[in-house]
Every structure is written in C-alpha cells, then in structure tokens.
Amino acid sequence: CLQDKNALHLYSVNGKYLGSETLKEEVSDLCVTGEYIVMGSLQGFLSIRDLYSLSLSISPLAMRLPIHCISVTKEYSHILVGLEDGKLIIVGVGKPAEV
C-alpha cells in the first residue's frame, strides 16, 4: 500500500524532528521555495505545501501524466512542470486576477 510507504519529514537545521505528513502519492521531484514545498508525483499531481506545517496550501492539481521535474521561476511567478510525455506545463502562481 503506497499510503504506508511515502511520507514527508521535517527537521530543523540542527537535526531536531519537527513533524511528518503521510503522502498518498509517490514523489518524483520537489522544490523548496520561500515558505512552500512544491511537489510533483508519479501519479500526476502537483502539490503545494506549507514548509512549516506540511499541510496542503491548495488542493493538488491533476496533470494526468507522471511528473518528472518541477522548477519555480526566481520571481516565484510560475511553476514549470515537466511531464512524462515531454510536455512542459507552465502554471501561474498567485490570485486569479494576477495570473
């Protein structure tokens, strides 16, 4: 069962255990940006989690294909998602009026 095998663990810079979150998907890539963790899974979901609580910031976005890589632009305005079929999906970040 995948639910028992995948988890995200949070430690302080001094190695103190701060918490963990069980994941339903198998993480293929992740990127820490500011106060968020941006993750892609082999099940095709793009997730954004709060760095400190590990809780989901928004509902995961379904990409329909396994995600192979994730990158965030240096202005934090877009998330670049590389899919298994070679497509590059660009996701705007921010309020709908800003995207």
Side-chain angles (χ1 to χ4, degrees):
C1 179
L2 280 177
Q3 293 182 38
D4 301 331
K5 296 181 183 176
N6 297 293
L8 192 59
H9 300 282
L10 181 64
Y11 291 86
S12 72
V13 291
N14 298 327
K16 180 182 175 193
Y17 175 77
L18 299 175
S20 65
E21 186 72 31
T22 302
L23 304 174
K24 294 183 175 106
E25 297 98 31
E26 191 173 352
V27 176
S28 54
D29 196 16
L30 67 83
C31 191
V32 176
T33 28
E35 297 181 359
Y36 298 97
I37 302 169
V38 182
M39 297 188 323
S41 72
L42 292 179
Q43 287 71 30
F45 289 98
L46 176 67
S47 304
I48 301 173
R49 293 180 174 271
D50 180 86
L51 179 60
Y52 305 105
S53 70
L54 301 180
S55 61
L56 284 168
S57 296
I58 61 163
S59 295
L61 302 171
M63 297 288 149
R64 297 195 168 94
L65 287 170
I67 295 172
H68 278 227
C69 60
I70 299 272
S71 184
V72 178
T73 59
K74 65 181 174 181
E75 303 86 19
Y76 306 127
S77 59
H78 295 85
I79 300 170
L80 309 175
V81 183
L83 300 180
E84 183 178 58
D85 65 355
K87 288 183 181 157
L88 177 66
I89 305 296
I90 301 171
V91 180
V93 178
K95 298 181 179 93
E98 297 172 357
V99 174

